[in-house]
Tab-separated table of all heavy atoms in Angstrom:
chain	number	residue	atom	x	y	z
N	1	ILE	N	6.371	2.136	-1.007
N	1	ILE	CA	5.936	2.398	0.377
N	1	ILE	C	7.141	2.073	1.266
N	1	ILE	O	7.751	1.052	1.143
N	1	ILE	CB	4.714	1.572	0.646
N	1	ILE	CG1	4.227	1.690	2.013
N	1	ILE	CG2	4.892	0.144	0.398
N	1	ILE	CD1	2.785	1.172	2.355
N	2	THR	N	7.378	2.964	2.097
N	2	THR	CA	8.523	2.634	3.103
N	2	THR	C	8.050	1.764	4.361
N	2	THR	O	6.845	1.564	4.526
N	2	THR	CB	9.042	4.045	3.616
N	2	THR	OG1	8.096	4.566	4.467
N	2	THR	CG2	9.375	5.005	2.492
N	3	SER	N	9.017	1.513	5.121
N	3	SER	CA	8.702	0.669	6.347
N	3	SER	C	7.771	1.521	7.244
N	3	SER	O	6.946	0.926	8.088
N	3	SER	CB	9.915	0.262	6.967
N	3	SER	OG	10.785	1.322	7.413
N	4	GLY	N	7.893	2.855	7.130
N	4	GLY	CA	7.010	3.726	7.947
N	4	GLY	C	5.708	3.987	7.246
N	4	GLY	O	4.941	4.863	7.790
N	5	HIS	N	5.486	3.311	6.109
N	5	HIS	CA	4.301	3.459	5.277
N	5	HIS	C	4.130	4.862	4.678
N	5	HIS	O	3.006	5.275	4.385
N	5	HIS	CB	3.001	3.156	6.201
N	5	HIS	CG	3.036	1.569	6.537
N	5	HIS	ND1	1.810	0.885	6.301
N	5	HIS	CD2	3.899	0.816	6.970
N	5	HIS	CE1	2.099	-0.375	6.687
N	5	HIS	NE2	3.368	-0.522	7.051
N	6	SER	N	5.225	5.538	4.435
N	6	SER	CA	5.169	6.673	3.584
N	6	SER	C	5.092	6.190	2.129
N	6	SER	O	5.784	5.253	1.754
N	6	SER	CB	6.362	7.548	3.672
N	6	SER	OG	6.524	8.071	4.980
N	7	ILE	N	4.292	6.944	1.394
N	7	ILE	CA	3.996	6.368	0.035
N	7	ILE	C	4.275	7.482	-1.004
N	7	ILE	O	4.089	8.686	-0.853
N	7	ILE	CB	2.481	6.029	-0.112
N	7	ILE	CG1	2.223	4.767	0.864
N	7	ILE	CG2	1.994	5.786	-1.512
N	7	ILE	CD1	0.726	4.416	0.919
N	8	ASN	N	4.782	6.945	-2.225
N	8	ASN	CA	5.014	7.740	-3.377
N	8	ASN	C	4.427	7.080	-4.575
N	8	ASN	O	4.578	5.926	-4.742
N	8	ASN	CB	6.520	7.884	-3.480
N	8	ASN	CG	7.080	8.798	-4.694
N	8	ASN	OD1	6.276	9.828	-4.900
N	8	ASN	ND2	8.086	8.391	-5.426
N	9	TYR	N	3.808	7.877	-5.371
N	9	TYR	CA	3.150	7.440	-6.602
N	9	TYR	C	3.671	8.190	-7.863
N	9	TYR	O	3.935	9.386	-7.858
N	9	TYR	CB	1.631	7.655	-6.656
N	9	TYR	CG	0.780	6.771	-5.626
N	9	TYR	CD1	0.343	7.337	-4.464
N	9	TYR	CD2	0.704	5.318	-5.879
N	9	TYR	CE1	-0.366	6.507	-3.506
N	9	TYR	CE2	0.023	4.587	-4.916
N	9	TYR	CZ	-0.520	5.195	-3.916
N	9	TYR	OH	-1.184	4.441	-2.945
N	10	ALA	N	3.766	7.474	-8.925
N	10	ALA	CA	4.018	8.136	-10.267
N	10	ALA	C	2.761	9.037	-10.617
N	10	ALA	O	1.608	8.678	-10.230
N	10	ALA	CB	4.216	7.118	-11.355
N	11	ASP	N	3.074	10.171	-11.133
N	11	ASP	CA	1.919	10.998	-11.385
N	11	ASP	C	0.839	10.280	-12.278
N	11	ASP	O	-0.390	10.607	-12.153
N	11	ASP	CB	2.399	12.256	-12.153
N	11	ASP	CG	3.161	13.235	-11.325
N	11	ASP	OD1	3.023	13.102	-10.038
N	11	ASP	OD2	3.935	14.110	-11.809
N	12	SER	N	1.323	9.486	-13.171
N	12	SER	CA	0.305	8.828	-14.096
N	12	SER	C	-0.636	7.872	-13.411
N	12	SER	O	-1.634	7.427	-14.019
N	12	SER	CB	1.121	8.130	-15.155
N	12	SER	OG	1.982	7.142	-14.598
N	13	VAL	N	-0.399	7.474	-12.246
N	13	VAL	CA	-1.238	6.457	-11.514
N	13	VAL	C	-1.954	6.976	-10.271
N	13	VAL	O	-2.808	6.388	-9.691
N	13	VAL	CB	-0.442	5.162	-11.164
N	13	VAL	CG1	0.299	4.693	-12.352
N	13	VAL	CG2	0.479	5.447	-10.016
N	14	LYS	N	-1.640	8.322	-9.948
N	14	LYS	CA	-2.181	8.846	-8.698
N	14	LYS	C	-3.693	8.921	-8.872
N	14	LYS	O	-4.216	9.316	-9.831
N	14	LYS	CB	-1.652	10.330	-8.573
N	14	LYS	CG	-0.269	10.353	-7.960
N	14	LYS	CD	0.130	11.764	-7.782
N	14	LYS	CE	1.546	11.798	-7.171
N	14	LYS	NZ	2.119	13.235	-7.030
N	15	GLY	N	-4.402	8.490	-7.836
N	15	GLY	CA	-5.891	8.501	-7.800
N	15	GLY	C	-6.463	7.291	-8.424
N	15	GLY	O	-7.635	7.061	-8.244
N	16	ARG	N	-5.600	6.480	-9.070
N	16	ARG	CA	-6.107	5.181	-9.642
N	16	ARG	C	-5.561	3.902	-8.948
N	16	ARG	O	-6.198	2.873	-8.856
N	16	ARG	CB	-5.887	5.070	-11.165
N	16	ARG	CG	-6.440	6.299	-11.914
N	16	ARG	CD	-6.339	6.086	-13.385
N	16	ARG	NE	-4.780	6.003	-13.819
N	16	ARG	CZ	-4.268	4.992	-14.410
N	16	ARG	NH1	-4.936	3.921	-14.702
N	16	ARG	NH2	-2.938	5.116	-14.675
N	17	PHE	N	-4.311	3.959	-8.611
N	17	PHE	CA	-3.531	3.006	-8.059
N	17	PHE	C	-3.310	3.088	-6.444
N	17	PHE	O	-3.184	4.310	-6.081
N	17	PHE	CB	-2.216	2.658	-8.592
N	17	PHE	CG	-2.149	2.282	-10.027
N	17	PHE	CD1	-3.336	2.199	-10.765
N	17	PHE	CD2	-0.971	1.802	-10.624
N	17	PHE	CE1	-3.304	1.608	-12.142
N	17	PHE	CE2	-1.023	1.379	-12.000
N	17	PHE	CZ	-2.167	1.339	-12.650
N	18	THR	N	-3.350	2.021	-5.718
N	18	THR	CA	-3.075	2.179	-4.292
N	18	THR	C	-2.073	1.090	-3.907
N	18	THR	O	-2.197	-0.124	-4.195
N	18	THR	CB	-4.446	1.902	-3.462
N	18	THR	OG1	-5.435	2.905	-3.868
N	18	THR	CG2	-4.155	2.052	-1.998
N	19	ILE	N	-1.014	1.475	-3.311
N	19	ILE	CA	-0.082	0.503	-2.703
N	19	ILE	C	-0.213	0.356	-1.284
N	19	ILE	O	-0.604	1.259	-0.559
N	19	ILE	CB	1.460	0.982	-3.126
N	19	ILE	CG1	2.350	-0.116	-2.667
N	19	ILE	CG2	1.755	2.308	-2.343
N	19	ILE	CD1	3.837	0.144	-3.261
N	20	SER	N	-0.077	-0.862	-0.838
N	20	SER	CA	-0.267	-1.188	0.649
N	20	SER	C	0.720	-2.345	0.932
N	20	SER	O	1.209	-3.038	-0.028
N	20	SER	CB	-1.658	-1.478	0.987
N	20	SER	OG	-2.085	-2.668	0.271
N	21	ARG	N	0.973	-2.579	2.113
N	21	ARG	CA	1.909	-3.671	2.601
N	21	ARG	C	1.290	-4.268	3.892
N	21	ARG	O	0.694	-3.566	4.774
N	21	ARG	CB	3.314	-3.211	2.806
N	21	ARG	CG	3.486	-2.092	3.753
N	21	ARG	CD	4.949	-1.618	3.782
N	21	ARG	NE	5.934	-2.415	4.328
N	21	ARG	CZ	7.259	-2.230	4.176
N	21	ARG	NH1	7.719	-1.212	3.498
N	21	ARG	NH2	8.155	-3.104	4.738
N	22	ASP	N	1.552	-5.639	3.941
N	22	ASP	CA	1.168	-6.280	5.204
N	22	ASP	C	2.524	-6.822	5.759
N	22	ASP	O	3.084	-7.839	5.243
N	22	ASP	CB	0.204	-7.462	4.818
N	22	ASP	CG	-0.199	-8.128	6.098
N	22	ASP	OD1	0.451	-8.224	7.070
N	22	ASP	OD2	-1.219	-8.852	6.000
N	23	ASP	N	3.020	-6.137	6.721
N	23	ASP	CA	4.382	-6.519	7.338
N	23	ASP	C	4.424	-7.906	8.012
N	23	ASP	O	5.477	-8.548	7.984
N	23	ASP	CB	4.838	-5.543	8.312
N	23	ASP	CG	5.135	-4.104	7.594
N	23	ASP	OD1	5.489	-4.160	6.416
N	23	ASP	OD2	4.853	-3.044	8.156
N	24	ALA	N	3.199	-8.317	8.470
N	24	ALA	CA	3.136	-9.713	9.148
N	24	ALA	C	3.298	-10.651	8.031
N	24	ALA	O	3.808	-11.782	8.328
N	24	ALA	CB	1.843	-9.819	9.717
N	25	LYS	N	2.932	-10.365	6.788
N	25	LYS	CA	3.073	-11.418	5.678
N	25	LYS	C	4.236	-11.061	4.669
N	25	LYS	O	4.296	-11.801	3.789
N	25	LYS	CB	1.729	-11.436	4.932
N	25	LYS	CG	0.545	-11.885	5.732
N	25	LYS	CD	-0.614	-11.944	4.813
N	25	LYS	CE	-1.845	-12.469	5.664
N	25	LYS	NZ	-3.082	-12.421	4.843
N	26	ASN	N	5.010	-10.086	5.123
N	26	ASN	CA	6.135	-9.681	4.108
N	26	ASN	C	5.615	-9.485	2.693
N	26	ASN	O	6.205	-9.912	1.780
N	26	ASN	CB	7.303	-10.592	4.199
N	26	ASN	CG	8.000	-10.604	5.525
N	26	ASN	OD1	8.027	-9.660	6.151
N	26	ASN	ND2	8.422	-11.840	5.941
N	27	THR	N	4.443	-8.800	2.603
N	27	THR	CA	3.823	-8.763	1.208
N	27	THR	C	3.376	-7.380	0.864
N	27	THR	O	2.978	-6.616	1.887
N	27	THR	CB	2.574	-9.670	1.212
N	27	THR	OG1	2.874	-11.049	1.463
N	27	THR	CG2	1.788	-9.531	-0.070
N	28	VAL	N	3.604	-6.895	-0.282
N	28	VAL	CA	3.177	-5.581	-0.859
N	28	VAL	C	2.147	-5.839	-1.830
N	28	VAL	O	2.235	-6.848	-2.643
N	28	VAL	CB	4.434	-4.841	-1.270
N	28	VAL	CG1	5.048	-5.483	-2.502
N	28	VAL	CG2	3.984	-3.447	-1.589
N	29	TYR	N	1.199	-5.066	-1.907
N	29	TYR	CA	0.145	-5.172	-2.871
N	29	TYR	C	0.030	-3.829	-3.784
N	29	TYR	O	0.433	-2.750	-3.308
N	29	TYR	CB	-1.253	-5.261	-2.127
N	29	TYR	CG	-1.217	-6.394	-1.153
N	29	TYR	CD1	-1.145	-6.228	0.188
N	29	TYR	CD2	-1.558	-7.682	-1.598
N	29	TYR	CE1	-1.090	-7.247	1.087
N	29	TYR	CE2	-1.668	-8.793	-0.722
N	29	TYR	CZ	-1.393	-8.550	0.617
N	29	TYR	OH	-1.471	-9.512	1.484
N	30	LEU	N	-0.589	-3.899	-4.896
N	30	LEU	CA	-0.866	-2.896	-5.772
N	30	LEU	C	-2.200	-2.972	-6.313
N	30	LEU	O	-2.482	-3.951	-7.121
N	30	LEU	CB	0.144	-2.724	-6.943
N	30	LEU	CG	-0.003	-1.513	-7.783
N	30	LEU	CD1	0.444	-0.268	-6.956
N	30	LEU	CD2	0.881	-1.504	-9.042
């Protein structure tokens, strides 16, 4: 996930995994 919140997934995880980020906490989640 970019700083502009553009997202890219591997084909094998699309629809099952979700990436997100909390910029206030400098944290990324999966």
Side-chain angles (χ1 to χ4, degrees):
I1 181 168
T2 68
S3 58
H5 291 227
S6 294
I7 291 173
N8 182 41
Y9 292 106
D11 288 342
S12 60
V13 307
K14 284 180 180 177
R16 300 187 299 122
F17 291 10
T18 302
I19 189 171
S20 62
R21 61 191 283 173
D22 184 336
D23 293 326
K25 297 181 179 179
N26 293 329
T27 299
V28 62
Y29 304 96
L30 185 68

